[in-house]
Amino acid sequence: KAGVTQTPRYLIKTRGQQVTLSCSPISGHRSVSWYQQTPGQGLQFLFEYFSETQRNKGNFPGRFSGRQFSNSRSEMNVSTLELGDSALYLCASSLVSRGKKTQYFGPGTRLLVL
Amino acid sequence: AQKITQTQPGMFVQEKEAVTLDCTYDTSDPSYGLFWYKQPSSGEMIFLIYQGSYDQQNATEGRYSLNFQKARKSANLVISASQLGDSAMYFCAMREEGGSEKLVFGKGTKLTVNP
């Protein structure tokens, strides 16, 4: 089974621009979560989508938004980019394996804002 | 509020020896799951092991085992027979089993395996 995929892998933007990141979960998974990882703040939860509905949201400004499509693929959008948005953005989908529900992550998208 | 604490910013171990990475957690929810992930310099988060709060046995996955002490709220990762490829950041995380998949992560421990 293919793992979680994320595109693009690397991205360079300038302040004020917007960016869209994509995540395709493991086939059959309906839950996708997004995380931001920075050296200063560590790993922080952005939001979670399940069956096209946002189920949970972290403490991020409204510039960060997301959505999920009927095939479970998810996108996150960051508008009016700031230097502090430079980070590794990770998405994860959930898998039930041997009766346990675990989360598997994609390779991440490294965003650099100049 | 959920909280994960990893008190070891860095750890060193000799190849082929065992190492324990510490993790303590705080939650008021009786039902939760604990995870360990490995993150090499490439950035990908690799799932290692999972422990449910109601699991009677400590979880094991190959060379990885989780020393779960519920009363002390600790979930330490034990890596046996360390290999050079084990050098990476290791993160402990928790999920409260209330329906959401949200994970709360610790700050991580950087493990270096010396030859």
Side-chain angles (χ1 to χ4, degrees):
Chain A
K1 228 177 196 181
V4 180
T5 58
Q6 291 186 247
T7 57
R9 294 293 311 280
Y10 303 92
L11 208 47
I12 300 175
K13 292 285 188 179
T14 55
R15 276 185 304 173
Q17 287 187 310
Q18 74 160 16
V19 67
T20 299
L21 311 181
S22 180
C23 171
S24 292
I26 294 171
S27 177
H29 295 181
R30 293 190 291 164
S31 169
V32 173
S33 300
W34 288 89
Y35 296 84
Q36 181 197 63
Q37 186 178 24
T38 59
Q41 299 298 317
L43 280 147
Q44 294 185 287
F45 172 78
L46 279 157
F47 27 64
E48 179 207 350
Y49 287 87
F50 181 81
S51 293
E52 302 179 66
T53 301
Q54 188 179 85
R55 185 154 70 172
N56 202 346
K57 188 177 188 302
N59 189 24
F60 278 82
R63 299 185 297 107
F64 291 82
S65 63
R67 60 177 175 168
Q68 187 179 32
F69 302 94
S70 58
N71 62 356
S72 294
R73 189 178 70 84
S74 176
E75 289 181 347
M76 67 163 280
N77 184 277
V78 188
S79 62
T80 319
L81 284 166
E82 300 177 0
L83 296 179
D85 297 333
S86 294
L88 177 65
Y89 291 88
L90 294 158
C91 83
S93 71
S94 295
L95 169 67
V96 177
S97 174
R98 285 179 279 171
K100 297 181 186 296
K101 189 165 63 168
T102 57
Q103 283 193 51
Y104 289 82
F105 283 79
T109 294
R110 288 190 186 275
L111 172 64
L112 176 61
V113 182
L114 301 174
Chain B
Q2 306 167 66
K3 186 176 180 182
I4 295 284
T5 303
Q6 294 180 254
T7 57
Q8 307 154 313
M11 288 283 286
F12 293 87
V13 66
Q14 288 297 123
E15 196 178 5
K16 299 180 185 176
E17 292 187 349
V19 63
T20 298
L21 306 183
D22 294 342
C23 172
T24 59
Y25 60 91
D26 191 21
T27 179
S28 56
D29 196 316
S31 181
Y32 51 88
L34 296 158
F35 299 75
W36 277 93
Y37 289 90
K38 171 185 177 182
Q39 188 178 43
S41 56
S42 61
E44 184 171 3
M45 295 287 282
I46 302 168
F47 167 76
L48 295 177
I49 197 166
Y50 167 86
Q51 178 86 42
S53 59
Y54 292 116
D55 292 343
Q56 297 296 315
Q57 308 263 2
N58 284 346
T60 60
E61 293 283 353
R63 294 187 299 112
Y64 305 106
S65 60
L66 201 152
N67 184 0
F68 181 46
Q69 298 187 47
K70 196 170 182 177
R72 299 178 63 180
K73 291 190 174 179
S74 76
N76 298 338
L77 177 71
V78 180
I79 305 175
S80 63
S82 297
Q83 301 172 356
L84 296 178
D86 293 335
S87 294
M89 284 292 292
Y90 287 80
F91 291 94
C92 180
M94 177 170 63
R95 178 183 66 207
E96 288 183 346
E97 307 292 24
S100 170
E101 297 296 318
K102 174 185 173 182
L103 291 176
V104 174
F105 285 87
K107 294 196 177 298
T109 296
K110 184 174 182 180
L111 177 66
T112 303
V113 181
N114 295 316

